[in-house]
Each structure stands twice: as C-alpha cells, then as structure tokens.
Amino acid sequence: MKHMIQENLNRIKAQLPDHVTLVAVSKFHPNERLIEAYDAGQRIFGESHEQEMTAKHQSLPADIEWHFIGHLQTNKVKYIAPYVSMIEAVDSMKLLREIEKQAAKHNRVIPVLLELHIAQEATKYGLTLDDCRALLSDGEWRSMSHVSIQGLMMMASFTDDEQQIRKEFLTAKTFFEEVKRDYFADDDQFRIRSWGMSDDFPIAVECGSTMVRVGTSIFGHREY
Ligand SMILES: *Cc1c(COP(=O)(O)O)cnc(C)c1O
C-alpha cells in the first residue's frame, strides 16, 4: 500500500510542470494514508469537512499545509481559522467577511481563492462570473487586511465530454486574466488558478491551471 501511494504521487508529479502545485485531496481517507503520502514528501493536503480536517490537523505533523476545498459554512470558519493554510472555495461576501473577522482574532492573514461556478450542473456551489465581478467591483474586500485573495478555483462539469471540460477551463482562464487586469494587476500574490482533479488535471494544466486537487488517483476510491 505504502508503495502504491508513493508511486501514484510520483506518477502524477511527473505529469505536472514545475509551476503547478499538487494538493493531495485526502477527504474520507484515514490518517495512515496521509502519513504514507507525507513520508513520500507530500505536504499540502485538501479536505472538505471542517471537523475531519481539524481532527487530522491535530494528529498529523505540524508542517502540513491544510487547504479547505469544500463548501464552508460561515459558522464553521472559527474552527479552522487558527491553522488553515488556504480556503479555496469562497463563494460569498458573507463568508469572506467571516474569514476576515476570524483571521483577525488570530492575528493571521488567511489566503483564499474565489470559487467560480462555470460547470453545467445546477447543484455546484460558486460565484457566477457576474457575481464575482460584482463582489470585486464593490470593493469592500480591499479593506480586509486579514484575507489575501490569491486567485480563482473551479470544478468542471462531471462529464466524459473533453471538449466541454476544456471549454469550461478556458472560460476560467480568460476570466482570471480579466480579473487580474482589472483588480490585481499590481498584486503579485494573485496568481493561483486552481482547477483539475483526478479525471481532468492533464486538460486543466493545458488550460492554465497552476494548482491541481487530486484525490482518487493518489489514495484510491473513497469509502463514504
Ligand atoms: C473531492 C474533491 C477533489 C478531488 O477529486 P478526485 O476526483 O478524487 O481527484 C477536488 N476538488 C474538490 C473541490 C473536491 O471536493
């Protein structure tokens, strides 16, 4: 087993250019699996449930960087604010305000990504492109000194249609360029494009991704 997670990581990393960061999505996998990945050199892990992430954070090595990648309820921010390295799926001003508030309490600056809704599925969370434009043009985020908006995150549609997936990633890439130009031209920190999962990360990398979130291809199938 140990051998397998290490091999999976090596195989995936060999496919990633140097400028692409690998987030190992470990949700629903037990600590032993994460330790195998850790021993193979992986330091960034992605989780989508606040309690599970906090329990893992408390029992695993302190130099792990925890990315929260799921939908985060406002009332749960306080539990992860002391230690989270990045909150990847910010999809409302309300959530951003709460992150600012909780980060301030801990005297931290929390890096965040804005989550876009581009996929066809009606059920996925995220800001439409117009919502995202409105959030940024409103300007309140500029006064928040404890959150650092460092880029965009999105999930492509769940489909076998490669053309559709590619189209959605390219929409995100074009939108990133727009937002970079209009709001973050002078901000070197705003540079992360988080798209690509087990089934589509090679396409995502072709479409400008700088951060891929890969679970199943590293750890195997999840048992819910
Ligand atoms: C679960 C999850 C992933 C990883 O999915 P895999 O198909 O297992 O690689 C990536 N991003 C988000 C937001 C997820 O919830």
Side-chain angles (χ1 to χ4, degrees), residues 43-45 53 62-68 80-88 108-112 150:
R43 290 294 178 274
I44 306 177
F45 291 85
M53 185 168 83
D63 63 342
I64 290 178
E65 294 175 40
W66 296 99
H67 283 211
F68 195 84
I80 67 171
Y83 70 88
V84 68
S85 286
M86 180 172 278
I87 297 176
E88 288 208 22
R108 302 187 64 210
V109 177
I110 297 182
V112 305
Q150 301 193 345

Side-chain angles (χ1 to χ4, degrees), residues 170-183:
L170 290 176
T171 298
K173 179 173 188 273
T174 304
F175 186 71
F176 176 92
E177 286 157 6
E178 173 191 320
V179 163
K180 177 76 184 165
R181 182 197 64 216
D182 290 352
Y183 297 100

Side-chain angles (χ1 to χ4, degrees), residues 85-97:
S85 286
M86 180 172 278
I87 297 176
E88 288 208 22
V90 173
D91 60 0
S92 71
M93 196 59 207
K94 185 173 167 232
L95 178 57
L96 198 62
R97 280 191 199 111

